[in-house]
Amino acid sequence: MLQSNIQTYIEKEMNVQGQSLSLYQEEKEYALQKELVPQNLMIEEKEASLRFKDSYIERVDKESDELIAEESPLSFLDTPISYLKEHRSEFLYIESKWFEFIKLDGCSFEVDDVFGTYKVLTGLHMQKNSVLY
């Protein structure tokens, strides 16, 4: 699944960019390891901090599920994860086009009220009848 998703992405990018290709470090390493790019193709590495610049981020109240604020990805993603420990009544909900590579709808981040540990909940793109055991 991941290999075919990345291969499709690379083919689209090659159609747009021609003989050069811009990939993030992780995709570049994976593509080279799996030999998904032609040998003569020049691969440029994209700036990692820009990957989630188009993400959708919400801060939400845990008890009421009411929206507190929509956050700007470029500024909020620089906030330390300890923000959640300081604001235990909130959780973060994030959507990104990059989640589609691994078949996620979105994910939420919060701090567990009992144990004080970080929790990440994800929504998977799966049909109900394809439950894994």
Side-chain angles (χ1 to χ4, degrees), residues 51-67:
R51 180 190 294 271
F52 294 104
K53 70 178 169 118
D54 297 336
S55 297
Y56 175 74
I57 302 174
E58 290 181 346
R59 287 181 25 240
V60 182
D61 182 72
K62 278 187 189 178
E63 270 190 49
S64 65
D65 281 339
E66 289 190 25
L67 177 67

Side-chain angles (χ1 to χ4, degrees), residues 22-70:
S22 295
L23 298 173
Y24 291 103
Q25 178 186 355
E26 294 81 7
E27 286 87 8
K28 177 182 172 183
E29 290 173 2
Y30 186 85
L32 292 173
Q33 178 188 9
K34 299 291 183 179
E35 299 177 352
L36 301 177
V37 292
Q39 297 268 337
N40 59 348
L41 190 68
M42 187 164 89
I43 303 174
E44 182 181 314
E45 210 167 287
K46 290 183 182 180
E47 177 63 38
S49 64
L50 300 177
R51 180 190 294 271
F52 294 104
K53 70 178 169 118
D54 297 336
S55 297
Y56 175 74
I57 302 174
E58 290 181 346
R59 287 181 25 240
V60 182
D61 182 72
K62 278 187 189 178
E63 270 190 49
S64 65
D65 281 339
E66 289 190 25
L67 177 67
I68 297 171
E70 285 183 27

Side-chain angles (χ1 to χ4, degrees), residues 6 13 26 29 44 58-59 80 87 92 95 109 116 130:
I6 290 180
E13 289 296 305
E26 294 81 7
E29 290 173 2
E44 182 181 314
E58 290 181 346
R59 287 181 25 240
H87 300 87
L92 299 177
E95 289 180 359
F109 297 87
S130 359

Side-chain angles (χ1 to χ4, degrees), residues 50-116:
L50 300 177
R51 180 190 294 271
F52 294 104
K53 70 178 169 118
D54 297 336
S55 297
Y56 175 74
I57 302 174
E58 290 181 346
R59 287 181 25 240
V60 182
D61 182 72
K62 278 187 189 178
E63 270 190 49
S64 65
D65 281 339
E66 289 190 25
L67 177 67
I68 297 171
E70 285 183 27
E71 297 293 339
S72 165
L74 290 178
S75 62
F76 195 77
L77 290 175
D78 288 334
T79 305
I81 191 79
S82 61
Y83 173 89
L84 292 171
K85 286 203 176 191
E86 297 162 8
H87 300 87
R88 287 182 180 239
S89 63
E90 299 178 13
F91 70 89
L92 299 177
Y93 174 75
I94 302 175
E95 289 180 359
S96 173
K97 67 178 184 177
W98 293 103
F99 292 167
E100 293 174 16
F101 271 101
I102 52 176
K103 300 294 185 195
L104 289 182
D105 287 323
C107 63
S108 66
F109 297 87
E110 66 179 73
V111 171
D112 186 273
D113 294 327
V114 176
F115 299 106

